[in-house]
Amino acid sequence: MSLLWVVPFAGILLSIAVAPLAVPRFWHHHFGKVSAFWATVFLVPFAVAFGVDLAAREVLHTMLLEYFPFMVLLFALFTVSGGIHVRGNLHGAPALNTGLLALGTGLASVMGTTGAAMLLIRPLLRANDNRQHRAHVVVFFIFLVANVGGALTPLGDPPLFLGFLKGVDFFWTTRAMFIPTLLTSVILLAIFYAVDRHLWHSAGETRPAVLDPTPDSKVRIDGKINFVFLAAIVLCVLASGLWKPGISTTVAGSTIELQNALRDLALLAIAWASWHFTPRKVRAAHHFDWGPIKEVAKLFAGIFLTIIPAIAILRAGSSGALAPLVALVTGADGQPRDAAYFLLTGVLSSFLDNAPTYLVFFNLAGGDAVTLMGPLATTLTAISAGAVFMGANTYIGNAPNFMVKAIAESRGVRMPSFFAYFGWSVLVLGPIYVLLTLLFFR
């Protein structure tokens, strides 16, 4: 297959990257049509060139074994986390802000970066609504809670769940990513504390908290039953990775294993239970709506379809049309260059969606989970770290980034422009990436 088959995949990713900023009104109303357009641009020529039967089998395989499980997990996490509301008011001193960021970073690998970000961004903004300087708090929140914190489990960030679906063990990710994630988180929290403390003192914000425009009230958590549902989600995903009964069925050439089917059904049941048992007033206070998950579902349907030829070309390796890319990440001895995998995965994840980017480089490294967890473990770690960490580099690198920015601006925070934010990431995150490369991916 020639590189022309990759045009629809590149088209949908560029649309996601550019359209929300260039034509926000059009994108808000027509993103589903844009996704369908690029899927059609791929599917129609593919069916003509290779036959309707093959096209139908590829579509069913992708949707049943990859897209559907992916969306079911996101849907369950989104529904459950949306039923937890933190009310009350804190005062945004440097120590408290650092503690909230640390808490969110830890929660991100349990409830997903989107769930943790949506749970804590509003309490954090309320705590700092009397501060003169607030944008930096949100910037570091995006760095840590919306990205870095999701690196420890397949629940944390969509790229890692795609790896789990491809056969990566649940706790392999935790073991492999623990030290890089801990180091990155500690450095970022230390930098944030120093910056926040400096700005806090320089603006004279050590004055009594009576200047806080939000009335004092005790911090309470509503919708606590959803913590039980979060635990149930973790158990379901973990069980599907550990329990292998060897029972499966075949649908149009695609093998559906019993443990995976039961996991997805259980996740849907958990989402229903969360929606049914969480009081409506809790979700209303949390400003919960289905818009974000609908957008993700429509866009990723197009992404999963248009990525089919890209993966096929990558599987051809050095004999395929993407041989130059293979050469960039492969040494003269035929072994992968971990630093190149880390940096290239990260650079693309900064400007494109990090989930399909992870999938591209996962397949570029061979696509065999057993090998990637064994002899090529550092390569898979490099791909995972690049996809998760460097999604923080821009507002469009990871879905929660732009959502957090929009919420902050709606609360009166003057957030950095697209390029100013990128400058923050280069200045703060760039040296950390260099350090990670030298320590783990040389």
Side-chain angles (χ1 to χ4, degrees):
M1 301 181 76
S2 74
L3 285 179
L4 287 175
W5 288 103
V6 186
V7 169
F9 177 57
I12 192 171
L13 292 184
L14 288 173
S15 297
I16 293 170
V18 175
L21 303 173
V23 284
R25 184 179 296 274
F26 170 83
W27 180 256
H28 177 72
H29 292 288
H30 301 291
F31 59 82
K33 296 173 185 174
V34 173
S35 179
F37 167 78
W38 287 116
T40 304
V41 169
F42 157 64
L43 285 173
V44 172
F46 187 78
V48 172
F50 298 99
V52 174
D53 288 344
L54 178 60
R57 285 200 300 272
E58 288 295 323
V59 169
L60 282 172
H61 176 86
T62 299
M63 301 307 279
L64 286 175
L65 301 187
E66 296 176 3
Y67 173 76
F68 182 73
F70 173 80
M71 280 309 308
V72 165
L73 176 65
L74 286 185
F75 174 75
L77 287 170
F78 181 82
T79 305
V80 171
S81 63
I84 303 172
H85 176 60
V86 180
R87 58 187 173 97
N89 186 45
L90 299 168
H91 299 295
L96 176 80
N97 286 337
T98 305
L100 284 175
L101 292 185
L103 173 64
T105 303
L107 288 175
S109 281
V110 178
M111 59 191 307
T113 52
T114 298
M118 294 302 100
L119 175 68
L120 291 177
I121 184 57
R122 290 181 179 87
L124 184 68
L125 291 172
R126 285 199 303 271
N128 288 274
D129 57 6
N130 66 319
R131 295 282 301 269
Q132 179 180 345
H133 302 289
R134 293 180 289 168
H136 70 286
V137 179
V138 183
V139 168
F140 277 87
F141 184 89
I142 294 174
F143 289 169
L144 283 158
V145 182
N147 290 276
V148 173
L152 296 182
T153 74
L155 298 172
D157 219 23
L160 303 181
F161 187 66
L162 289 180
F164 178 76
L165 293 178
K166 292 292 185 181
V168 178
D169 290 344
F170 189 96
F171 288 114
W172 182 93
T173 303
T174 307
R175 294 191 300 270
M177 292 293 292
F178 182 77
I179 298 300
T181 303
L182 178 64
L183 177 63
T184 303
S185 300
V186 168
I187 293 173
L188 282 174
L189 288 168
I191 295 173
F192 170 77
Y193 180 79
V195 171
D196 197 39
R197 185 173 176 81
H198 170 73
L199 294 174
W200 191 57
H201 281 283
S202 66
E205 290 166 342
T206 56
R207 297 189 301 272
V210 293
L211 297 178
D212 194 333
T214 304
D216 281 346
S217 58
K218 291 183 179 180
V219 175
R220 288 187 171 88
I221 299 177
D222 297 324
K224 295 186 184 71
I225 191 173
N226 285 286
F227 288 111
V228 176
F229 295 138
L230 277 175
I233 290 174
V234 174
L235 290 175
C236 285
V237 175
L238 182 58
S240 71
L242 297 177
W243 180 54
K244 306 288 186 181
I247 301 173
S248 62
T249 186
T250 301
V251 178
S254 299
T255 301
I256 301 175
E257 297 181 331
L258 176 62
Q259 69 273 19
N260 295 333
L262 291 178
R263 176 199 64 215
D264 295 342
L265 290 173
L267 291 176
L268 289 174
I270 291 168
W272 176 86
S274 172
W275 177 257
H276 181 74
F277 290 107
T278 303
R280 294 293 180 264
K281 64 180 182 180
V282 174
R283 293 191 185 274
H286 194 57
H287 302 283
F288 178 87
D289 70 86
W290 297 108
I293 199 67
K294 289 180 180 178
E295 181 173 359
V296 169
K298 292 177 181 180
L299 292 178
F300 272 89
I303 288 172
F304 273 84
L305 291 174
T306 56
I307 204 175
I308 290 173
I311 292 174
I313 293 171
L314 288 172
R315 284 176 178 162
S318 58
S319 61
L322 286 172
L325 183 60
V326 175
L328 280 176
V329 296
T330 307
D333 58 356
Q335 294 300 306
R337 294 172 174 167
D338 295 338
Y341 270 102
F342 174 59
L343 294 174
L344 285 174
T345 304
V347 168
L348 290 181
S349 293
S350 301
F351 298 96
L352 306 176
D353 193 276
N354 59 0
T357 300
Y358 172 96
L359 203 55
V360 165
F361 284 93
F362 183 92
N363 284 279
L364 187 58
D368 179 61
V370 175
T371 302
L372 286 169
M373 288 187 294
L376 300 183
T378 55
T379 302
L380 183 55
T381 304
I383 295 169
S384 303
V388 176
F389 293 170
M390 295 199 203
N393 289 351
T394 70
Y395 285 132
I396 58 177
N398 199 16
N401 300 3
F402 211 83
M403 296 167 66
V404 168
K405 174 181 180 290
I407 292 172
E409 289 177 334
S410 71
R411 298 296 182 93
V413 180
R414 294 185 61 184
M415 291 297 294
S417 68
F418 181 88
F419 291 105
Y421 175 87
F422 182 63
W424 270 93
S425 66
V426 170
L427 181 65
V428 177
L429 297 173
I432 297 177
Y433 298 148
V434 173
L435 178 63
L436 292 175
T437 303
L438 294 174
L439 290 178
F440 302 108
F441 308 127
R442 293 181 64 181

